[in-house]
Coordinates of all heavy atoms in Angstrom, one line a residue:
D104 N 43.3 126.0 80.9 CA 44.4 125.4 81.7 C 43.8 124.6 82.8 O 43.3 125.2 83.8 CB 45.2 126.6 82.3 CG 46.4 126.1 83.1 OD1 47.0 125.1 82.7 OD2 46.6 126.6 84.2
T105 N 43.8 123.3 82.7 CA 43.1 122.4 83.7 C 44.0 121.3 84.2 O 43.7 120.8 85.3 CB 41.8 121.8 83.1 OG1 42.2 121.1 81.9 CG2 40.8 122.9 82.7
T106 N 45.0 121.0 83.5 CA 45.8 119.8 83.9 C 46.7 120.1 85.1 O 46.7 119.4 86.1 CB 46.8 119.3 82.7 OG1 45.9 119.0 81.6 CG2 47.6 118.1 83.1
V107 N 47.4 121.2 85.1 CA 48.3 121.6 86.2 C 47.4 121.9 87.5 O 47.7 121.4 88.6 CB 49.2 122.8 85.9 CG1 49.8 123.3 87.2 CG2 50.2 122.4 84.9
P108 N 46.3 122.6 87.3 CA 45.4 122.8 88.5 C 44.9 121.4 89.1 O 44.7 121.4 90.3 CB 44.2 123.6 87.9 CG 44.8 124.4 86.8 CD 45.8 123.5 86.2
M109 N 44.7 120.4 88.2 CA 44.3 119.1 88.7 C 45.4 118.6 89.7 O 45.0 118.0 90.7 CB 44.1 118.1 87.6 CG 43.7 116.7 88.0 SD 43.7 115.5 86.6 CE 45.5 115.5 86.3
Y110 N 46.6 118.7 89.3 CA 47.7 118.2 90.1 C 47.8 119.0 91.4 O 48.2 118.5 92.5 CB 49.1 118.2 89.3 CG 49.1 117.2 88.3 CD1 49.4 117.5 86.9 CD2 49.0 115.8 88.5 CE1 49.4 116.6 85.9 CE2 49.0 114.9 87.5 CZ 49.2 115.3 86.2 OH 49.3 114.3 85.2
V111 N 47.5 120.3 91.3 CA 47.5 121.2 92.5 C 46.5 120.7 93.4 O 46.7 120.6 94.7 CB 47.3 122.6 92.1 CG1 47.0 123.5 93.3 CG2 48.5 123.2 91.4
N112 N 45.3 120.4 92.9 CA 44.2 119.9 93.8 C 44.5 118.5 94.4 O 44.2 118.3 95.6 CB 42.9 119.8 93.0 CG 42.3 121.1 92.8 OD1 42.7 122.1 93.3 ND2 41.2 121.2 91.9
L113 N 45.2 117.7 93.6 CA 45.6 116.4 94.1 C 46.6 116.6 95.3 O 46.4 115.9 96.4 CB 46.3 115.6 93.0 CG 46.9 114.2 93.5 CD1 45.8 113.3 93.9 CD2 47.7 113.6 92.3
F114 N 47.5 117.5 95.2 CA 48.5 117.8 96.2 C 47.8 118.4 97.4 O 48.0 118.0 98.6 CB 49.6 118.7 95.7 CG 50.5 119.1 96.8 CD1 51.5 118.3 97.3 CD2 50.4 120.4 97.3 CE1 52.4 118.7 98.3 CE2 51.3 120.9 98.3 CZ 52.3 120.0 98.8
A115 N 46.9 119.4 97.1 CA 46.3 120.2 98.2 C 45.3 119.3 99.1 O 45.3 119.4 100.3 CB 45.6 121.4 97.6
Y116 N 44.5 118.5 98.4 CA 43.5 117.8 99.1 C 43.9 116.4 99.6 O 43.5 116.1 100.7 CB 42.3 117.6 98.2 CG 41.7 118.9 97.7 CD1 41.1 119.0 96.4 CD2 41.7 120.1 98.5 CE1 40.6 120.2 95.9 CE2 41.1 121.2 98.0 CZ 40.6 121.3 96.8 OH 40.1 122.5 96.3
W117 N 44.8 115.7 98.9 CA 45.1 114.4 99.2 C 46.5 114.2 99.8 O 46.7 113.2 100.4 CB 44.9 113.5 98.0 CG 43.5 113.2 97.6 CD1 42.7 114.1 97.0 CD2 42.7 112.1 98.0 NE1 41.4 113.6 96.9 CE2 41.4 112.4 97.5 CE3 42.9 111.0 98.7 CZ2 40.3 111.5 97.7 CZ3 41.9 110.1 98.8 CH2 40.6 110.3 98.4
V118 N 47.3 115.2 99.6 CA 48.7 115.1 100.3 C 48.7 116.0 101.5 O 49.4 115.7 102.5 CB 49.8 115.5 99.2 CG1 51.2 115.5 99.9 CG2 49.8 114.6 98.0
V119 N 48.0 117.2 101.4 CA 48.0 118.1 102.6 C 46.8 117.9 103.4 O 46.8 117.6 104.6 CB 48.2 119.6 102.1 CG1 48.1 120.5 103.3 CG2 49.5 119.8 101.4
G120 N 45.6 118.2 102.8 CA 44.4 118.3 103.6 C 44.0 117.0 104.3 O 43.8 117.1 105.6
L121 N 43.8 115.9 103.6 CA 43.3 114.7 104.3 C 44.3 114.1 105.3 O 43.9 113.8 106.4 CB 43.0 113.6 103.2 CG 41.5 113.6 102.7 CD1 41.3 112.6 101.6 CD2 40.5 113.3 103.9
P122 N 45.6 114.0 104.9 CA 46.5 113.4 105.9 C 46.7 114.3 107.2 O 46.7 113.8 108.3 CB 47.9 113.4 105.1 CG 47.5 113.3 103.7 CD 46.2 114.1 103.6
L123 N 46.7 115.6 107.0 CA 46.8 116.5 108.1 C 45.6 116.4 109.0 O 45.7 116.4 110.2 CB 47.0 118.0 107.6 CG 47.1 119.0 108.7 CD1 48.4 118.7 109.6 CD2 47.2 120.4 108.1
G124 N 44.4 116.4 108.3 CA 43.2 116.3 109.1 C 43.1 115.0 109.9 O 42.7 115.0 111.1
Y125 N 43.5 113.9 109.3 CA 43.5 112.6 109.9 C 44.5 112.6 111.1 O 44.1 112.1 112.2 CB 43.9 111.5 108.9 CG 43.8 110.1 109.6 CD1 42.6 109.4 109.6 CD2 44.9 109.5 110.1 CE1 42.5 108.1 110.1 CE2 44.9 108.3 110.7 CZ 43.7 107.6 110.7 OH 43.6 106.3 111.3
Y126 N 45.7 113.2 110.9 CA 46.7 113.2 111.9 C 46.2 114.0 113.1 O 46.3 113.5 114.3 CB 48.0 113.8 111.4 CG 49.1 113.9 112.4 CD1 49.7 112.7 112.9 CD2 49.5 115.1 112.9 CE1 50.7 112.8 113.9 CE2 50.5 115.2 113.8 CZ 51.1 114.1 114.3 OH 52.1 114.2 115.3
L127 N 45.7 115.2 112.9 CA 45.2 116.0 114.0 C 43.9 115.5 114.6 O 43.8 115.5 115.9 CB 45.0 117.5 113.5 CG 46.3 118.2 113.0 CD1 45.9 119.6 112.5 CD2 47.3 118.4 114.2
G128 N 43.0 115.1 113.8 CA 41.7 114.8 114.3 C 41.6 113.4 114.9 O 41.0 113.2 116.0
I129 N 42.3 112.4 114.3 CA 42.2 111.0 114.7 C 43.4 110.6 115.5 O 43.3 110.1 116.7 CB 42.0 110.1 113.5 CG1 40.8 110.5 112.7 CG2 41.8 108.6 114.0 CD1 39.5 110.6 113.4
T130 N 44.6 110.8 115.0 CA 45.8 110.3 115.6 C 46.1 111.1 116.9 O 46.3 110.5 118.0 CB 47.0 110.4 114.7 OG1 46.8 109.8 113.5 CG2 48.3 109.9 115.4
L131 N 46.0 112.4 116.8 CA 46.3 113.3 118.0 C 45.0 113.5 118.9 O 45.1 114.2 119.9 CB 46.9 114.6 117.6 CG 48.3 114.6 117.0 CD1 48.8 116.0 116.8 CD2 49.3 113.8 117.9
N132 N 43.9 113.0 118.3 CA 42.6 113.0 119.1 C 42.1 114.5 119.3 O 41.5 114.7 120.4 CB 42.8 112.3 120.4 CG 41.4 111.8 121.0 OD1 40.5 111.6 120.2 ND2 41.3 111.8 122.3
Y133 N 42.3 115.4 118.4 CA 41.7 116.7 118.5 C 40.3 116.7 118.0 O 39.6 117.8 118.1 CB 42.6 117.7 117.7 CG 43.9 118.1 118.3 CD1 45.0 118.4 117.5 CD2 44.1 118.0 119.7 CE1 46.2 118.7 118.1 CE2 45.3 118.3 120.3 CZ 46.4 118.7 119.4 OH 47.6 119.0 120.0
G134 N 39.8 115.6 117.5 CA 38.4 115.5 117.1 C 38.0 116.3 115.9 O 38.8 116.5 115.0
P135 N 36.7 116.7 115.8 CA 36.2 117.4 114.6 C 37.0 118.6 114.2 O 37.2 118.9 113.0 CB 34.8 117.9 115.1 CG 34.4 116.9 116.1 CD 35.7 116.6 116.9
Q136 N 37.5 119.4 115.2 CA 38.3 120.6 114.9 C 39.6 120.2 114.2 O 40.0 120.9 113.3 CB 38.6 121.4 116.2 CG 37.4 122.0 116.9 CD 36.6 121.0 117.7 OE1 37.0 119.9 117.9 NE2 35.4 121.5 118.1
G137 N 40.2 119.1 114.6 CA 41.4 118.7 113.9 C 41.2 118.3 112.5 O 42.0 118.6 111.6
L138 N 40.1 117.6 112.2 CA 39.7 117.2 110.9 C 39.5 118.5 110.0 O 39.9 118.5 108.8 CB 38.5 116.3 110.8 CG 38.7 114.9 111.3 CD1 37.4 114.2 111.6 CD2 39.5 114.1 110.3
W139 N 38.9 119.5 110.6 CA 38.6 120.7 109.8 C 39.8 121.5 109.6 O 39.9 122.3 108.6 CB 37.5 121.5 110.6 CG 36.1 121.1 110.1 CD1 35.6 119.8 110.2 CD2 35.1 121.9 109.6 NE1 34.3 119.8 109.7 CE2 34.0 121.1 109.3 CE3 35.0 123.3 109.3 CZ2 32.8 121.6 108.8 CZ3 33.8 123.7 108.7 CH2 32.7 122.9 108.5
I140 N 40.8 121.4 110.4 CA 42.1 122.1 110.1 C 42.7 121.6 108.8 O 43.2 122.3 108.0 CB 43.1 121.9 111.3 CG1 42.6 122.8 112.5 CG2 44.5 122.4 110.9 CD1 43.4 122.5 113.8
G141 N 42.5 120.2 108.6 CA 42.9 119.6 107.4 C 42.2 120.2 106.2 O 42.8 120.5 105.1
L142 N 40.9 120.4 106.3 CA 40.1 121.1 105.2 C 40.6 122.5 104.9 O 40.8 122.9 103.8 CB 38.6 121.1 105.6 CG 37.8 119.8 105.7 CD1 36.4 120.1 106.2 CD2 37.9 119.0 104.4
I143 N 40.8 123.2 106.0 CA 41.3 124.6 105.8 C 42.7 124.6 105.1 O 42.9 125.4 104.2 CB 41.4 125.3 107.2 CG1 40.0 125.5 107.8 CG2 42.1 126.7 107.0 CD1 40.1 125.9 109.3
A144 N 43.6 123.7 105.5 CA 44.9 123.7 104.9 C 44.8 123.3 103.4 O 45.5 124.0 102.6 CB 45.8 122.7 105.7
G145 N 44.0 122.3 103.1 CA 43.9 121.9 101.7 C 43.3 123.0 100.8 O 43.9 123.3 99.7

């Protein structure tokens, strides 16, 4: 079973993780910790 998990990873990493990390780390200027919150979430 690999197709559905692929879509899960797409959602987790590219819809949740990266945008959240960018928003917190770059946009809100929380720096490295903000980017890593995105990693944790994804």
Side-chain angles (χ1 to χ4, degrees):
D104 178 47
T105 57
T106 302
V107 171
M109 176 189 69
Y110 290 122
V111 167
N112 284 350
L113 175 64
F114 174 76
Y116 301 144
W117 287 80
V118 177
V119 176
L121 269 176
L123 180 62
Y125 184 87
Y126 178 70
L127 294 175
I129 307 299
T130 306
L131 295 185
N132 202 29
Y133 288 150
Q136 292 79 10
L138 287 167
W139 272 56
I140 290 173
L142 292 179
I143 294 170

